[in-house]
Amino acid sequence: MRTKLIAGNWKMNNTPSQGVALINEIKETANAASCDVVVCTPYICLPAAVQAANGSKIAVSAENMHFEDKGAFTGEISAAMLKEVGVTYTVIGHSERREYFAETDKTVNLKTIKALENDIVPIVCVGESLEQRESGVAFDFIAMQVKLALNGISAEDAKKVVIAYEPIWAIGTGKTATDEQANEVCAFIRQQITALYGTDVADTMRILYGGSMNAGNAAGLLAQSDIDGGLIGGASLKAPDFCTIINAATNA
Ligand code: PEP
C-alpha cells in the first residue's frame, strides 16, 4: 500500500514571508492528513519554509538543484546546501525547466542520482506535449524519459524516487487530463518500472499526476488505481484549495 503524496509546486511565487503564511494556513490540515504533504518552494524561501514547517507533517522541497557537488557554477544550488537547511525533497526536470532552462534527460539523470546520494527524494517530472499526444508518440516518449532519468540507479534507490506524470498540455492551462487518461499513463509508467526493476520496485514507487489538478477534480484523479498523489501548481497557492486536495488524498 503506497502512501499518497500531495506536493504543491509554488514555482516563482511567494516571498519568504508569504510562504510562511501559506504553510501556517495548511499546517492543521496537513497534520490531520493520512497522506504525505510537501511544499516545493523557490530557493530563497526554503530556510523560512523549513522553520515554519518544523514540528508539522509538512516536508519542504526545492524546485531544482545542480548535479555537481560544488564549484564554479554561478547561481546554482547543490544538494548538500539543500540538505543542510533541512530540505528533504526536490523537483527534478519540471517541463518548465526542460523548456526554458535547457534541462535535458542527461541532467535530469545526473540530478536524480545526486539527490539520492544526499538522501533527498527526487520528484522526477515526465510528460508529453500536445503535439506528441496527437501524433501518437506520447507513450514511447514517456518510456524514454523514465528510462533515461533512472539510468544507473539501483533498485533500492529507485524505490525512493517519485515520478510525476505531467502532460505539458495540462500544466497551467486549466485543461486537466481525464481521470482515465491520467491513470492510463501512470499505469503505463508503472509497467515501465516493472520492466526495468521488477514488481517490488514498481509496487513501491509513487507515481503522481500533475496538470491543473484542483479542488474540484482532485478526488476523481486521486481515486485512480495508479495515481499515488499530485504535483499541484496554481491550486497549491490558495490554502483552502490545497487543503481540499490534501483531504481528497486522505479520503481516496
Ligand atoms: C506544476 O507546476 O507542476 C503544475 C502541475 O501546475 P498546474 O497545477 O498549475 O497545472
Side-chain angles (χ1 to χ4, degrees):
M1 196 50 191
R2 298 175 293 270
T3 304
K4 286 210 174 352
L5 190 160
I6 297 297
N9 178 20
W10 294 356
K11 313 193 187 196
M12 198 172 74
N13 295 293
N14 287 330
T15 64
S17 63
Q18 288 169 335
V20 168
L22 181 53
I23 287 171
N24 285 332
E25 281 183 82
I26 64 171
K27 222 184 240 182
E28 204 179 308
T29 303
N31 285 345
S34 64
C35 61
D36 292 338
V37 178
V38 175
V39 289
C40 313
T41 89
Y43 290 135
I44 194 74
C45 297
L46 290 170
V50 168
Q51 209 178 1
N54 190 26
S56 78
K57 265 196 69 176
I58 301 169
V60 177
S61 171
E63 297 177 7
N64 180 35
M65 54 165 253
H66 196 47
F67 53 82
E68 292 288 356
D69 289 324
K70 57 157 112 176
F73 302 101
T74 303
E76 290 292 336
I77 298 281
S78 73
M81 293 171 192
L82 296 177
K83 198 175 170 181
E84 187 172 313
V85 298
V87 168
T88 49
Y89 287 77
T90 186
V91 177
I92 294 178
H94 192 282
S95 61
E96 288 152 16
R97 295 219 54 91
R98 292 180 191 254
E99 186 177 351
Y100 308 133
F101 301 100
E103 195 83 67
T104 64
D105 288 318
K106 180 70 187 163
T107 59
V108 167
N109 175 241
L110 292 172
K111 290 177 182 194
T112 304
I113 291 169
K114 191 56 69 178
L116 290 164
E117 272 175 28
N118 285 274
D119 295 321
I120 293 173
V121 177
I123 303 175
V124 178
C125 301
V126 299
E128 82 285 5
S129 65
L130 187 59
E131 197 186 356
Q132 286 167 327
R133 177 158 279 262
E134 286 176 346
S135 57
V137 299
F139 287 87
D140 286 345
F141 180 71
I142 292 163
M144 181 194 69
Q145 283 186 315
V146 168
K147 192 169 182 186
L148 291 175
L150 297 172
N151 188 31
I153 292 173
S154 69
E156 264 330 287
D157 274 346
K159 284 183 187 173
K160 301 173 204 158
V161 174
V162 175
I163 292 185
Y165 165 56
E166 299 211 303
I168 296 168
W169 47 271
I171 297 177
T173 57
K175 274 189 217 159
T176 319
T178 63
D179 298 348
E180 293 71 27
Q181 277 175 329
N183 195 50
E184 184 186 22
V185 179
C186 290
F188 171 78
I189 292 171
R190 207 175 301 286
Q191 276 169 22
Q192 303 309 301
I193 302 300
T194 306
L196 290 170
Y197 292 106
T199 49
D200 185 27
V201 176
D203 288 345
T204 307
M205 185 184 278
R206 292 188 287 186
I207 302 174
L208 315 183
Y209 168 76
S212 298
M213 188 185 277
N214 59 40
N217 60 27
L221 288 160
L222 294 169
Q224 302 304 308
S225 58
D226 282 285
I227 300 180
D228 303 319
L231 182 58
I232 299 118
S236 73
L237 298 172
K238 296 171 230 147
D241 291 20
F242 195 54
C243 288
T244 301
I245 298 171
I246 293 169
N247 288 331
T250 291
N251 298 327

